Amino acid sequence: MSIARRIQLWADCSRATAVFVALAIAMSVAAPSYAAAAAASDASAVGVHGMVVSESEDAARAGVEILKHGGNAVDSAVATALAVGVTNPAACGIGGGGFMLIYIAKTHAFYALDYRETAPLQARPDMYLRNGKPNEDLARDGVLAVGVPGEIAGIDAALRRFGTMKFQQIAAPAEKLADGGFAASPHLAGEIARLASKLKSDPGLSQVFLKPDGSAPKAGDMIVEKNLAATLRSLGDDPVANFYHGEVATALAAFMKAHGGLIGAADLADYRPVWREPIHGRYEGYEVYAMPPPSSGGVVLEMLGALESGHLPGLGINSPPYLARLIEVMRQGFIDREQYADPSFVSVQIERLLTPAHIQELREHALHRKSPPPPPAPAHDHGTSNLLVADKDGNVVALTTTINTVFGAKMSVPALGLILNDEMDDFAVAPGVPNAYRLEGERANEVRPGKRPLSSMTPIIVTRNGLPVMTTGGSGGPTIVSGVLQVTLNILSFHLDPASAVEEPRIHEQAAPDVVIVEEAMPAATRSALEQMGYQLKVVPALGAVGAITIAPANFRGAFDPRKGGGAVGY
């Protein structure tokens, strides 16, 4: 059924239903619709000299501390990333990797840094086949799920190129949090409780994150990571030398060998972060910059292009016609996402995917969709952590970091306090086999030695007249793409402040499964109208987490997402 027909069906609803829907939509615009009014003020901040937004308040304060001591946005972003790796260890840390999108005001230039994990040199496309059948669990939990970590190499590369401080100055707040302890956030306490049975089986994870009786801590309980603090201190001011070639590398490689893993000394010594050319596209007079493949930044640019000049404000924020248009465009964007992969191994035609002709084709497909594929189980929100920094000199950093699913491979190297990622699950385990996020793999994203898996992480920076006006990014698997899209539209098209833009209820559609996932905060009448249009809905409590900063001279406004918690700290 075409989107035009679905919109017509909505218009044909009874007058009473239409009035009720319109009233519900008006109420959702008038006030934040996800959390109480008090939460809106708690989730936002205003700054004159700079702003840091993170999924951890402790980490955001660490970033602002660096800014106050003369550091720039890159210094602050690295400090925040290290600190959030301590305080949000279920989602990220130095055992993982990420993407960093950087704007340097002095040169008016954008830079994209890829420090995504890579497949070990012994990895092979059939490594998860057992008796001729794929065993996707091997790519999610355990030693075979671990990719070569890129976090330390990436943040060191950013500091050396654009930072003004030494690594130990930057790492000091994270070391203090790990050594002295921090209060578990409600989100972290919930993640630990949910996975307590798996954490018990790992000596390092159980010792740090569970109580002596094996129970999970409550929100507010103190968590101490002494071994992680010692590892961070041991890196000195040349962290790559130690982590990839020195004592840390030796300990990590020995642990992997003892447990049947594939990562060895050669994998660590060979790891390199990659500086890539940022990609960009236009939307309603704005220029939107994003990470190139293996990030999904191009998917967001395609979706924005397909929605340009769509007169979205006239439809009304989160109205059924507006949501129907988003659903169709999201579906087509995720279909295109199957072509994205590590450009060092696969020729990704990103220039073609972002041409006006292809975006018009995407728009037309969205308006005249054929019959849908059968709907398997819907996606579930998972780990990752996003942070944003803007400083007084005009520099901006959008950084997303991850160990993939919650607590990664559910394994740690106890002596190092290092939680291992399960990034191999982001590869195609086998053609047609969905990963933990229900995304099906294609040959372009199959396992190869040294290859980086396709990622949903999508940090973006938006400019107008050549100057940054906002930045956003998110966490939550494929819901990052849809969440970043909707928050961007809420700010650019509907002119909401960051807190209101973040708190608006969201939807998610990723083509396969052909199910629209809707937050329960979306008004019931709106959900009913979508169902009358023929959409199959799956209602969930929340979809991922997105942060945002709007930028104007001496006026920084930031907001973290109350769905997950965090901090927005300005000064």
Side-chain angles (χ1 to χ4, degrees):
M1 185 185 297
S2 71
I3 187 174
R5 177 56 181 154
R6 293 185 178 200
I7 293 173
Q8 183 60 47
L9 283 177
W10 175 79
D12 290 341
C13 291
S14 68
R15 182 178 181 82
T17 301
V19 170
F20 184 67
V21 170
L23 178 60
I25 294 166
M27 291 174 65
S28 74
V29 175
S33 54
Y34 186 83
S41 59
D42 292 342
S44 63
V46 177
V48 175
H49 305 291
M51 175 67 63
V52 179
V53 172
S54 170
E55 294 175 3
S56 160
E57 184 174 359
D58 287 329
R61 294 192 181 282
V64 167
E65 179 183 331
I66 294 298
L67 291 178
K68 288 181 176 179
H69 283 83
N72 63 17
V74 173
D75 297 318
S76 174
V78 171
T80 306
L82 290 170
V84 79
V86 172
T87 59
N88 194 7
C92 60
I94 61 173
F99 297 120
M100 194 183 310
L101 186 63
I102 304 169
Y103 172 78
I104 299 299
K106 185 176 181 179
T107 57
H108 299 286
F110 284 86
Y111 302 87
L113 180 58
D114 173 357
Y115 48 101
R116 184 89 163 122
E117 301 92 331
T118 58
L121 297 175
Q122 295 184 57
R124 58 191 188 279
D126 62 352
M127 64 185 289
Y128 300 116
L129 294 180
R130 296 296 183 271
N131 299 319
K133 296 181 180 180
N135 184 344
E136 55 267 32
D137 290 341
L138 294 174
R140 298 173 189 170
D141 294 343
V143 72
L144 293 181
V146 186
V148 182
E151 186 88 355
I152 289 296
I155 60 181
D156 180 72
L159 277 181
R160 290 182 183 278
R161 186 167 184 179
F162 297 117
T164 65
M165 293 180 168
K166 298 292 186 180
F167 182 83
Q168 281 303 308
Q169 290 177 278
I170 298 287
E175 292 170 14
K176 182 178 180 181
L177 286 165
D179 204 21
F182 61 94
S185 69
H187 180 80
L188 176 59
E191 298 285 44
I192 294 173
R194 185 166 66 85
L195 289 179
S197 61
K198 289 190 175 183
L199 301 185
K200 286 178 184 177
S201 64
D202 182 85
L205 295 176
S206 60
Q207 183 179 8
V208 173
F209 300 109
L210 297 178
K211 295 181 178 181
D213 64 0
S215 63
K218 294 181 173 60
D221 287 351
M222 296 299 290
I223 294 177
V224 178
E225 301 175 74
K226 294 260 182 206
N227 288 353
L228 176 58
T231 296
L232 289 171
R233 281 193 295 270
S234 75
L235 297 179
D237 287 328
D238 190 3
V240 167
N242 197 335
F243 192 94
Y244 294 92
H245 306 276
E247 293 180 1
V248 173
T250 300
L252 179 54
F255 178 90
M256 295 295 290
K257 182 178 181 179
H259 290 79
L262 302 183
I263 296 175
D267 293 286
L268 295 165
D270 288 350
Y271 184 87
R272 298 290 187 277
V274 179
W275 290 99
R276 301 192 186 277
E277 188 67 26
I279 55 177
H280 60 94
R282 294 191 62 79
Y283 177 76
E284 306 292 3
Y286 297 93
E287 199 77 20
V288 184
Y289 288 82
M291 288 291 307
S295 161
S296 293
V299 180
V300 172
L301 297 184
E302 285 189 60
M303 292 176 177
L304 286 170
L307 292 165
E308 187 174 26
S309 302
H311 308 291
L312 301 186
L315 297 178
I317 192 169
N318 282 342
S319 69
Y322 170 71
L323 294 177
R325 189 166 297 182
L326 282 189
I327 290 165
E328 301 298 340
V329 168
M330 285 180 190
R331 180 184 290 108
Q332 293 302 319
F334 270 95
I335 290 172
D336 271 359
R337 185 181 181 274
E338 295 177 0
Q339 302 177 51
Y340 286 61
D342 185 343
S344 298
F345 288 77
V346 177
S347 177
V348 183
Q349 303 297 319
I350 190 67
E351 293 84 3
R352 183 189 68 80
L353 291 170
L354 296 179
T355 60
H358 179 73
I359 289 175
Q360 178 61 30
E361 181 182 345
L362 185 151
R363 185 184 294 122
E364 290 297 323
H365 283 172
L367 291 174
H368 305 288
R369 181 170 70 98
K370 304 297 184 183
S371 59
H380 175 69
D381 176 28
H382 287 271
T384 307
S385 192
N386 185 77
L387 64 95
L388 309 164
V389 182
D391 70 20
K392 62 181 176 60
D393 296 318
N395 305 306
V396 181
V397 176
L399 184 160
T400 312
T401 176
T402 189
I403 53 173
N404 198 30
T405 61
V406 178
F407 281 103
K410 320 304 181 290
M411 292 185 71
S412 68
V413 183
L416 300 176
L418 184 70
I419 300 174
L420 299 169
N421 68 78
D422 66 334
E423 214 61 61
M424 297 298 288
D425 180 58
D426 269 355
F427 284 113
V429 174
V433 176
N435 68 2
Y437 305 106
R438 310 311 299 166
L439 293 168
E440 294 187 2
E442 297 297 326
R443 285 191 61 84
N445 193 41
E446 70 179 2
V447 177
R448 292 290 183 186
K451 189 176 181 180
R452 296 162 197 247
L454 175 60
S455 172
S456 295
M457 296 187 290
T458 311
I460 68 169
I461 299 174
V462 180
T463 67
R464 187 154 203 169
N465 299 323
L467 297 176
V469 294
M470 71 161 284
T471 180
T472 186
S475 64
T479 67
I480 296 172
V481 176
S482 54
V484 166
L485 172 70
Q486 288 167 90
V487 169
T488 301
L489 292 171
N490 290 347
I491 292 174
L492 300 186
S493 288
F494 296 100
H495 309 294
L496 298 186
D497 63 88
S500 299
V502 164
E503 289 168 3
E504 277 294 321
R506 297 194 285 265
I507 63 171
H508 175 74
E509 157 68 68
Q510 62 183 50
D514 190 33
V515 174
V516 180
I517 307 178
V518 185
E519 289 186 328
E520 62 187 11
M522 190 70 72
T526 304
R527 287 186 261 138
S528 177
L530 290 174
E531 289 175 328
Q532 290 181 50
M533 292 179 189
Y535 292 112
Q536 179 181 346
L537 305 187
K538 169 70 174 178
V539 180
V540 298
L543 282 169
V546 181
I549 297 176
T550 57
I551 303 163
N555 186 2
F556 302 89
R557 295 181 179 271
F560 66 87
D561 199 322
R563 294 164 178 81
K564 191 172 181 180
V569 182
Y571 85 105

